Amino acid sequence: MSQSLRTSPFEEAVGAEYVAEATAGDAIDGVAPRWVVEPGSVKEVVEVLKVAHQRDLTVIGRGLGRHLTLGNPPRRADVIVSLGRMNRVLAYEPADMTVRVQAGCSLVALGSALHENDQWLPLDPPRAPRTTIGGVLATNLAGPLRASQGTARDLLIGIRTVGPDGTVVSGGGKVVKNVAGYDLPKAHVGALGTLGIIVDATFKVRPRPQHEGALEISCSDGAYAAGLALELRDTCEPFWLQIANDGAPPKPWRVIVGAGGRHEEVVAAVESYRATAEARGALSRTVPNAAEVRRDLADASAQLAHVVLKAATLATRVGAWLDVLETAAVRVGATPRFHADLVCGVIRMSIDSGSAENLGELVAELRPRFEDEGGSLIVERATSTQKEGLSEVGGVWGDPGPGLSLMRGLKEAFDPAGRLAPGRYVGGL
Amino acid sequence: MLPPGFAQRMRGLVGTDGVVDRPESLLVYECDGYTLERAAPEAVVLPRTPAEVAQVIRALWKDGVPFVPRGAGTGLSGGTLPVEAPVMVCTSRLQKIESIDIANRRVVAQAGVVNLWVSRAVKDAGLHFAPDPSSQNACTIGGNVAENSGGPHTLKYGVTTNHVLGLELVLPTGEVVQLGGPVEDRPGYDLTGLVVGSEGTLGLVTRATLRLTRVPESYRTFLAVFDSVADASEAVSGIIASGIIPAALEMMDGLILRAVEDAFHAGLPVDAGAVLLIELDGPEAGLPSQSEEVRELCKAQGAVEVRTARDDAERTLLWKARKRAFGAVGRLAPNYCTQDGVVPRTQVPEILRRISATAEKHSLRIGNVFHAGDGNIHPIILFDERNAGEVERVLAAGTEILEACVALGGSVTGEHGIGVEKIAQMPLLFSPEDLHAMATLRSVFDPQRRANPHKLLPDSKVCVEARAPRRQAAM
Amino acid sequence: MADSDVRFVEIEKLLSCVHCGLCLPSCPTYLELGTEADSPRGRILLMRALEEGRLRPTPEVTRHLDSCLGCRACETACPSGVPYGSLIEAARPFVEEHRPPVARFLRWLLDSVLTQPTVRNVATAPLRLLAGKPWTARFARATSLSLLGYAAALPEWRGVTPLPPVIEPDRELRGTAVLLTGCVAHSSFPQTTVSIARLLARAGVRVLIPPDQGCCGALSLHLGNDTRSRDLALRLSRHVSEDEADWYVTTAAGCGAHLREYGTLLPNDSGAANIGAKARDPLDLLAELGLPAPQRPLKAKIAMHDPCHLLHGQGVKNAPRELLRQIPGAELVELAEAEICCGSAGTYNLTEPGTAGRLLTRKLADIRASGADIIAAANPGCLLQIRSGAILQNMPVQIAHPIDLLARAHGLGD
Ligand SMILES: Cc1cc2nc3c(=O)[nH]c(=O)nc-3n(C[C@H](O)[C@H](O)[C@H](O)COP(=O)(O)OP(=O)(O)OC[C@H]3O[C@@H](n4cnc5c(N)ncnc54)[C@H](O)[C@@H]3O)c2cc1C
Ligand code: SF4
Ligand code: SF4
């Protein structure tokens, strides 16, 4: 059967108005897809994937498209399945503190539904307003709140996905505690859509803190900031705790620690942080609009630059690594800015002037040192040319560790023909 | 049948006293905490180190012999029952806590380390391992990982999977893989997360890297007394709706109360319809106002009395009464059997109503002691196996209760796992496609089904011995 | 045997075990061996299988029951109130009957030697020469002979101090105690008996010490000789049961725990019932009655080992700690696994040297890690076992009965 350029194979599946030929803006890391389809229901997603299956087309899921910079350039991208129309909250039971939501629903839309009952889904990836549930799950991106609330992995209790041949698979359930069967939802968290297209998900939600407060402490350098942050962590469990070095030169280092809860709790926590800082002779100031500052910090790294490196290490090593990263970045002529979450051992370095070569050089130098310590260094954001320059040094991900052959097995088992976002994930999966 | 010379070869790997193969000594491995089905293995192997585990499993692979992992055998779903797996590999000698990193809040423990030992080892640093199953002074880290165990404090702190960062897994081939580790965010699929809760069907876990949590600064522990379970359930909803997340929210009904009081003399009100054991924890500053609110909320839902534990001793006594409630139930009837189901929290009153209807229908006594905050119910069915037909009624009642849980949007197990016990209920929860996906996952790790075969996923295999209920422990 | 017949214990008692496994890590032999058949739950299942006739008392079965220390740590841990101690005690005589004749004879011999004062004195005479001598310790180390280690661990032989039949209180009378001088305990550690008598008097207790008491029968029962055990108990109760006594005390925790069972052991004997009801650990009693503040300082780090028969047999844990804490200069430090048996367990170290040795090694490692200068253990068996191990390993730690430490602090000892 010949296919004219005018009618796409997906029209029957989703209706003509929801199939578009891809434009330059739809390219993923320079790889241009042919179609963008927007199914409006699980059934339509199934139909789309069946068609793709029959025609051996590769499929990439997309939410609002804000996080497609994560991952290696795909080997092929025929169809983008945009979940933007599947944006409804399916079931919200405040008293059960659970919510079931379609993958295309944005975090903000969900947030406002939950807000009515003083609840929230405490996930704050960068660009939360333009991030969908599917996106936050596929990338497992998190922000400052991760220090106390965990990531999507910890909040997800059920998931529904569509496999490459159109099979709908559910895992987990809709109750907060459930150990029936394998924990399939975990497979999809952070998997970049390489095992299935996420169509809806069920989360446990939490009460929103009545108050937030924060204290900011200026520091002389990164190592000092990390040392102080460690002490703050041990003072009183922080709601969030960030080390930042992101202003205009001379880029002062700061530690910002957040507290959340009842008014008196917040006051007491902030006071105890202040006491810890003062004991070290550090200057501190109360941050007036803590929640806003927290949101800004979540966005900061992504907003600052086109290149973001994310390093993972242990809390006690954060200080030393900040030093190493800074020196290395300066050496290749970049001006680095940092945001680090000490509790989780995550450092984000944003660099503005990264060329393809110096990014490769930087990664080549630093990555093995992190990996030797059991940590990792990934390139969270970069231009497609820069990513190409990384192919020699392990791509954006680096070495996924000794689990790679099992990961490959998993991919082959769930996507035998390799048609879901091929090449974007670790080890070329 | 084991291949010839098997025991001898195994002894060469694990030492002469590391293999149990005399029938008398094997008999004691015929069941774990789930005693309704029984079958003894043909041999039990007790490796002393993770490296020996790998050697043993490699040898089993070569011999083509399937195996069952076993920790302390406190499991309540028959996960350690040998079903076409003649060899049991037991982790009871893997007792070492290998490293403790206080500053980074990490511990690496071998699989046979008892849950409570971890917390004990880091107590002086003000830390603990948060998952605290009621069996915590006996169950092993390996078993916790396999079952993704929970406990009374999971409402606020989550279950095992939220506190496990890395695993060393011996695949059925004997190959050893390190998954995750002390540093978070290793790129790649969350294999650690998939192995947690896999009930030993993906391989044998030899080591786990655990996250430690700070021991809360302060506690407030309350005992709220109600005339009926309905009132108590309403209070649970009220507390949750108020935005307070208690560290624990446990319910005991009248039947259980009386048994517990008989056993522990904790000063529980024996004529009450139900009590809630409520615990708030966290920084001291937030507790007075939350406590006040909790007390008011309970009173508003008809609490006859709200007692506050005055000191640590009283708190300990209340918890002891709760955690050992099941043991105490042994005093009420010669036999009992426990179910583990989950319903959405709002359905707790409804499921309790259905449970009592079920009890009436089958002329059985059923008590309830459970994690009300999570909607995780544990009905305890009392019976006497010597009464004709009673066992059948017990089994029927258990099934009805689980079906009711599913009908109300819940699950057939919140923490005890599927094992062999609940395989038949899996299709109630999952479609054939879902189950197929699970089987696919399994085949990635264990294509030949050598690790703990015929567990967790329904297959054609029917169970060993006819169901013959005896006394059974519970959570 | 017809099904309704009871072989050695009513099946109901065995049925009270719900197979939950919560007792496993409290059991020293399970901890050390990791085998289910050497755990409380496993042994209960074996006993049940024996009782039901599912199993015969083969050497393999007997081996697992023999390896039980009788420490009753499992009873403390069990939420279902399984009376493990009485189960194993009921099983022992049954097992004994089925033992091969030679093994039975050896155990009978041991029982006879230990429980009959005259025989014991003759049999242990050579030990006395070796007892407590520094050269014995050196010799023991050189030869690694554990028996020599035990000899070196005994206090130097100075003869048994005869105690008067009555010791009047130093203070206003608080009550009357009968002091049982035990068989092995008193002859091995006579000083401790003197110490407790004086301490009790200081606390206001009138102490009665009936002469020629004989053995309480605990060891015989442990060796499976229930007839002899009952005879000894009967003899003792005839001999020492006193209406005016408020308490019966002994420095051996093993005997103390056994005395509490007298009522059940001899259900028809009012004297035995009297003793059973009034048996009391002397440290527990002292802690309750209170002592004047001790004057003599003892600058040392002291760690408590909890003898099984004190902790699990009698539920005493805090009393000795409270008392020792009052000694000026004394610092109490934690001993990891303080509640785990040292391997002594009555005659266990003699009948099951392998497992006993492993448990001792474990205990010594914990002691080393504790950094204590003195280990206090309120039971002669534990004292001997731990001390002999410390001697063999040349550890610079002192092992003492808390009663002796207290007596010294009160200026009553030597
Ligand atoms: C009185 C009582 C109270 C309980 N309370 C709770 C509770 O509050 N919450 C709760 O969640 N559970 C509870 N349980 C259930 C049980 O204690 C837990 O499931 C526990 O985690 C099992 O640990 P275990 O070491 O005894 O494992 P086992 O019973 O020996 O094994 C359980 C399963 O894990 C597998 N397994 C064991 N070790 C490994 C390993 N190293 N690698 C791979 N697989 C392995 C086995 O094959 C089996 O399938 C309770 C049980 C009892 C008896
Ligand atoms: S008495 Fe001691 S050794 Fe015997 S089963 Fe109980 S805990 Fe184990
Ligand atoms: S003895 Fe007690 S603790 Fe041990 S398994 Fe039996 S019921 Fe459980």
Side-chain angles (χ1 to χ4, degrees):
Chain A
M1 186 171 64
S2 80
Q3 186 68 52
S4 103
L5 266 178
R6 291 264 139 238
T7 58
S8 97
F10 298 103
E11 269 177 22
E12 207 170 307
V14 296
E17 67 267 50
Y18 295 113
V19 187
E21 280 182 28
T23 64
D26 295 314
I28 297 168
D29 286 331
V31 180
R34 288 166 69 194
W35 299 283
V36 175
V37 292
E38 280 191 90
S41 66
V42 177
K43 215 169 139 251
E44 290 184 6
V45 176
V46 169
E47 290 310 314
V48 169
L49 282 156
K50 278 189 177 155
V51 173
H53 179 59
Q54 282 151 15
R55 296 172 180 255
D56 194 25
L57 299 172
T58 56
V59 178
I60 295 184
R62 182 171 93 183
L64 296 169
R66 288 305 128 162
H67 296 294
L68 288 173
T69 49
L70 183 63
N72 286 319
R75 274 194 293 275
R76 239 174 85 195
D78 299 325
V79 198
I80 288 197
V81 176
S82 165
L83 291 145
R85 288 170 67 213
M86 294 178 62
N87 58 5
R88 280 181 308 123
V89 173
L90 298 171
Y92 172 36
E93 200 46 75
D96 290 336
M97 291 207 295
T98 56
V99 66
R100 182 150 168 258
V101 59
Q102 287 186 312
C105 179
S106 79
L107 279 175
V108 168
L110 174 61
S112 51
L114 301 174
H115 200 136
E116 283 170 29
N117 290 288
D118 292 321
Q119 294 180 339
W120 69 347
L121 181 68
L123 293 175
D124 57 347
R127 305 167 179 236
R130 306 284 297 157
T131 300
T132 60
I133 289 299
V136 79
L137 285 172
T139 58
N140 201 22
L141 282 170
L145 282 175
R146 174 179 176 180
S148 61
Q149 309 292 310
T151 68
R153 173 191 197 273
D154 301 297
L155 298 164
L156 180 69
I157 55 177
I159 201 165
R160 195 144 60 123
T161 58
V162 182
D165 59 352
T167 312
V168 180
V169 172
S170 304
K174 60 178 216 177
V175 280
V176 295
K177 209 167 162 193
N178 186 2
V179 294
Y182 296 120
D183 198 350
L184 275 183
K186 293 271 188 301
H188 296 278
V189 177
L192 235 49
T194 53
L195 298 177
I197 302 287
I198 300 170
V199 287
D200 57 56
T202 310
F203 294 93
K204 45 184 175 183
V205 298
R206 301 223 165 102
R208 263 163 45 90
Q210 294 172 1
H211 288 271
E212 287 192 50
L215 192 76
E216 180 178 297
I217 304 132
S218 310
C219 302
S220 51
D221 54 49
Y224 180 93
L228 174 65
L230 206 56
E231 273 181 45
L232 291 169
R233 180 200 68 178
D234 291 339
T235 300
C236 167
E237 289 302 286
F239 193 37
W240 49 271
L241 175 58
Q242 293 271 309
I243 298 169
N245 167 240
D246 54 358
K251 297 196 303 157
W253 285 88
R254 335 171 260 152
V255 170
I256 317 100
V257 56
R262 301 189 161 226
H263 185 255
E264 62 274 22
E265 257 176 293
V266 171
V267 170
V270 171
E271 276 325 301
S272 67
Y273 297 138
R274 195 192 307 282
T276 300
E278 271 169 16
R280 276 207 159 206
L283 272 182
S284 65
R285 76 179 183 92
T286 313
V287 176
N289 39 357
E292 216 169 287
V293 168
R294 168 170 61 71
R295 282 191 290 269
D296 289 348
L297 282 166
D299 277 339
S301 54
Q303 239 141 39
L304 277 171
H306 285 294
V307 178
V308 179
L309 297 182
K310 180 189 142 203
T313 183
L314 289 170
T316 51
R317 297 282 296 143
V318 167
W321 281 121
L322 283 172
D323 240 28
V324 171
L325 287 166
E326 186 168 31
T327 315
V330 170
R331 195 171 331 115
V332 298
T335 314
R337 311 201 183 220
F338 291 99
H339 294 92
D341 179 334
L342 182 108
V343 176
C344 307
V346 170
I347 304 172
R348 284 198 168 80
M349 175 165 79
S350 323
I351 45 181
D352 39 14
S353 60
S355 69
E357 296 86 72
N358 63 20
L359 181 62
E361 205 180 302
L362 202 57
V363 170
E365 180 200 334
L366 293 169
R367 182 177 273 161
R369 298 175 64 184
F370 277 97
E371 290 178 351
D372 281 351
E373 279 191 14
S376 61
L377 181 74
I378 69 165
V379 178
E380 215 170 56
R381 265 167 82 81
T383 62
S384 44
T385 13
Q386 283 170 326
K387 285 187 184 178
E388 271 155 32
L390 293 173
S391 54
E392 299 291 288
V393 295
V396 305
W397 302 108
D399 179 12
L404 181 61
S405 67
L406 285 171
M407 293 181 197
R408 186 161 291 132
L410 203 59
K411 172 71 176 175
E412 279 162 10
F414 284 92
D415 180 19
R419 289 189 300 95
L420 297 176
R424 296 194 74 205
Y425 206 41
V426 299
L429 300 177
Chain B
M1 270 296 278
L2 292 172
F6 176 81
Q8 206 43 43
R9 277 203 302 287
M10 284 293 155
R11 287 202 168 90
L13 298 176
V14 299
T16 39
D17 69 348
V19 178
V20 178
D21 60 348
R22 302 287 291 265
E24 302 98 308
S25 303
L26 288 168
L27 180 75
V28 295
Y29 291 98
E30 66 177 6
C31 63
D32 50 25
Y34 171 75
T35 60
L36 296 196
E37 289 163 71
R38 279 173 274 158
E42 289 175 42
V44 178
V45 185
L46 301 126
R48 293 164 292 197
T49 60
E52 282 186 3
V53 174
Q55 288 169 3
V56 165
I57 292 185
R58 200 168 310 127
L60 289 167
W61 175 256
K62 284 201 191 123
D63 284 343
V65 177
F67 64 94
V68 190
R70 174 164 165 136
T74 67
L76 291 174
S77 54
T80 65
L81 190 79
V83 187
E84 293 189 358
V87 173
M88 202 173 257
V89 182
C90 188
T91 61
S92 57
R93 290 185 178 177
L94 301 178
Q95 298 182 353
K96 249 207 209 104
I97 295 182
E98 295 185 340
S99 70
I100 299 179
D101 180 350
I102 295 296
N104 289 307
R105 301 188 177 174
R106 303 285 191 264
V107 156
V108 178
Q110 292 182 350
V113 167
V114 170
N115 172 298
L116 193 62
W117 296 353
V118 176
S119 293
R120 216 185 271 156
V122 298
K123 183 181 76 186
D124 289 345
L127 300 174
H128 68 153
F129 179 54
D132 64 336
S134 305
S135 53
Q136 73 181 133
N137 52 14
C139 61
T140 64
I141 294 298
N144 294 167
V145 166
E147 302 285 9
N148 191 14
S149 295
H153 289 89
T154 58
L155 176 57
K156 184 164 172 184
Y157 295 101
V159 290
T160 301
T161 193
N162 306 108
H163 302 272
V164 174
L165 297 166
L167 295 173
E168 178 178 276
L169 179 73
V170 181
L171 293 170
T173 52
E175 187 194 336
V176 179
V177 275
Q178 308 292 337
L179 308 176
V183 180
E184 298 187 52
D185 285 10
R186 226 303 67 147
Y189 298 123
D190 183 5
L191 298 177
T192 305
L194 289 173
V195 173
V196 175
S198 63
E199 302 192 13
T201 61
L202 304 183
L204 198 146
V205 171
T206 43
R207 292 187 168 98
T209 307
L210 310 175
R211 189 207 306 275
L212 299 172
T213 308
R214 187 207 290 253
V215 176
E217 180 187 327
S218 290
Y219 298 95
R220 291 291 190 285
T221 310
F222 310 92
L223 188 77
V225 184
F226 296 87
D227 283 334
S228 69
V229 286
D231 286 353
S233 312
E234 288 304 323
V236 170
S237 305
I239 292 169
I240 297 291
S242 76
I244 295 173
I245 299 258
L249 195 41
E250 304 280 305
M251 196 189 300
M252 289 188 253
D253 71 8
L255 187 64
I256 302 294
L257 267 177
R258 286 182 280 285
V260 169
E261 185 53 23
D262 251 12
F264 302 112
H265 311 291
L268 301 175
V270 290
D271 45 3
V275 297
L276 288 179
L277 180 60
I278 307 164
E279 185 155 285
L280 301 173
D281 71 12
E284 177 58 33
L287 293 182
S289 71
Q290 290 186 52
S291 306
E292 207 31 57
E293 229 170 280
V294 164
R295 299 179 68 92
E296 304 271 295
L297 283 162
C298 289
K299 290 262 168 67
Q301 297 303 338
V304 215
E305 191 193 347
V306 184
R307 290 187 208 162
T308 312
R310 272 160 308 190
D311 50 26
D312 246 17
E314 223 172 304
R315 169 173 183 256
T316 311
L317 186 62
L318 285 177
W319 273 113
K320 180 173 161 191
R322 162 63 189 92
K323 288 207 169 186
R324 297 178 141 211
F326 284 88
V329 171
R331 297 164 197 248
L332 289 181
N335 308 80
Y336 68 84
C337 120
T338 308
Q339 270 308 346
D340 165 41
V342 195
V343 292
R345 190 158 21 223
T346 41
Q347 301 293 345
V348 166
E350 177 59 19
I351 192 74
L352 291 177
R353 214 185 46 71
R354 294 200 192 179
I355 290 172
S356 65
T358 301
E360 213 161 290
K361 173 174 155 198
H362 296 281
S363 325
L364 291 165
R365 281 195 301 162
I366 303 184
N368 289 287
V369 44
F370 63 104
H371 315 302
D374 297 317
N376 186 185
I377 57 159
H378 289 311
I380 307 177
I381 311 176
L382 307 177
F383 63 103
D384 186 340
E385 64 186 350
R386 292 166 294 196
N387 296 346
E390 203 154 296
V391 169
E392 289 70 27
R393 300 208 310 274
V394 170
L395 290 172
T399 308
E400 264 170 48
I401 291 170
L402 291 181
E403 283 169 1
C405 288
V406 176
L408 292 172
S411 169
V412 297
T413 172
E415 48 184 28
H416 297 168
I418 296 295
V420 292
E421 184 197 13
K422 290 177 173 166
I423 280 195
Q425 272 90 33
M426 282 292 273
L428 293 180
L429 284 174
F430 297 107
S431 71
E433 289 78 21
D434 303 343
L435 292 173
H436 178 75
M438 290 190 197
T440 305
L441 169 64
R442 170 168 194 168
S443 66
V444 172
F445 289 80
D446 183 15
Q448 308 221 16
R449 306 198 169 209
R450 293 281 184 80
N452 216 1
H454 308 297
K455 302 289 165 61
L456 187 120
L457 289 173
D459 55 24
S460 52
K461 181 73 201 149
V462 203
C463 278
V464 209
E465 215 173 276
R467 290 192 162 205
R470 291 200 262 158
R471 297 174 70 94
Q472 190 205 337
M475 92 100 285
Chain C
M1 201 179 304
D3 264 357
S4 58
D5 281 355
V6 171
R7 284 183 166 81
F8 54 89
V9 69
E10 307 93 80
I11 195 77
E12 279 301 320
K13 276 200 188 163
L14 288 160
L15 282 176
S16 66
C17 171
V18 295
H19 214 259
C20 66
L22 292 199
C23 51
L24 298 195
S26 70
C27 173
T29 56
Y30 176 76
L31 264 191
E32 206 36 54
L33 304 171
T35 33
E36 181 80 15
D38 297 296
S39 80
R41 177 172 66 175
R43 293 186 179 114
I44 292 170
L45 202 137
L46 290 177
M47 288 189 263
R48 179 172 168 186
L50 283 177
E51 178 58 48
E52 290 175 341
R54 260 219 291 171
L55 277 185
R56 308 244 338 113
T58 60
E60 178 77 1
V61 175
T62 313
R63 181 165 73 85
H64 296 304
L65 298 183
D66 282 349
S67 84
C68 170
L69 297 148
C71 68
R72 291 162 69 184
C74 47
E75 258 183 51
T76 308
C78 175
S80 306
V82 173
Y84 179 87
S86 61
L87 293 177
I88 188 82
E89 235 119 70
R92 283 205 158 113
F94 175 74
V95 169
E96 208 52 42
E97 284 167 31
H98 293 82
R99 232 182 256 287
V102 179
R104 246 162 90 192
F105 174 72
L106 288 176
R107 293 171 75 91
W108 172 85
L109 195 67
L110 184 61
D111 185 14
S112 315
V113 169
L114 291 176
T115 56
Q116 300 184 59
T118 26
V119 185
R120 181 173 68 234
N121 286 343
V122 175
T124 56
L127 268 184
R128 274 185 224 139
L129 291 175
L130 304 172
K133 300 278 192 312
W135 51 266
T136 313
R138 280 197 298 275
F139 192 43
R141 275 195 291 277
T143 54
S144 298
L145 280 174
S146 55
L147 196 64
L148 281 177
Y150 289 124
L154 284 166
E156 207 173 331
W157 179 253
R158 298 194 205 127
V160 177
T161 328
L163 281 165
V166 182
I167 298 179
E168 295 299 336
D170 296 358
R171 295 205 276 171
E172 185 197 336
L173 180 72
R174 306 284 299 276
T176 302
V178 172
L179 174 59
L180 299 173
T181 47
C183 42
V184 189
H186 184 55
S187 51
S188 322
F189 294 93
Q191 189 53 44
T192 310
T193 315
V194 177
S195 296
I196 193 61
R198 292 186 181 155
L199 281 167
L200 286 169
R202 172 132 320 169
V205 178
R206 184 160 182 264
V207 185
L208 307 181
I209 306 140
D212 298 327
Q213 300 178 2
C215 176
C216 67
L219 286 179
S220 302
L221 194 60
H222 197 80
L223 286 165
N225 195 339
D226 57 339
T227 322
R228 176 193 252 86
S229 175
R230 247 189 296 271
D231 288 349
L232 288 169
L234 203 59
R235 180 177 177 280
L236 185 72
S237 94
R238 296 270 152 77
H239 210 72
V240 304
S241 186
E242 296 270 356
D243 286 339
E244 57 173 317
D246 300 296
W247 310 287
Y248 288 83
V249 298
T250 157
T251 59
C255 304
H258 186 61
L259 293 178
R260 294 184 182 226
E261 307 289 325
Y262 263 32
T264 16
L265 202 66
L266 299 171
N268 302 320
D269 188 87
S270 64
N274 181 35
I275 296 180
K278 293 177 178 171
R280 185 74 189 270
D281 175 68
L283 287 161
D284 200 34
L285 182 58
L286 284 176
E288 182 196 307
L289 297 176
L291 281 167
Q295 297 302 323
R296 282 213 218 161
L298 175 61
K299 285 236 167 313
K301 285 188 187 147
I302 306 180
M304 291 291 309
H305 158 74
D306 291 307
C308 308
H309 285 103
L310 195 60
L311 179 64
H312 309 299
Q314 307 183 64
V316 176
K317 182 179 169 101
N318 289 331
R321 287 177 170 79
E322 275 168 34
L323 291 167
L324 291 181
R325 214 171 270 132
Q326 292 166 4
I327 301 179
E331 182 197 344
L332 254 67
V333 297
E334 284 264 339
L335 174 65
E337 303 190 323
E339 74 291 355
I340 298 291
C341 182
C342 61
S344 140
T347 54
Y348 189 88
N349 47 7
L350 303 175
T351 54
E352 298 284 324
T355 312
R358 290 172 72 155
L359 289 169
L360 179 57
T361 308
R362 193 176 179 112
K363 181 62 66 185
L364 293 173
D366 286 333
I367 288 177
R368 215 173 268 123
S370 75
D373 310 309
I374 302 178
I375 298 299
N379 190 42
C382 307
L383 282 176
L384 265 183
Q385 171 85 344
I386 302 176
R387 199 183 277 167
S388 73
I391 287 173
L392 285 172
Q393 297 204 4
N394 209 4
M395 285 166 63
V397 62
Q398 193 189 331
I399 324 289
H401 200 300
I403 287 176
D404 291 326
L405 295 175
L406 270 180
R408 226 173 288 151
H410 282 273
L412 298 171
D414 37 25

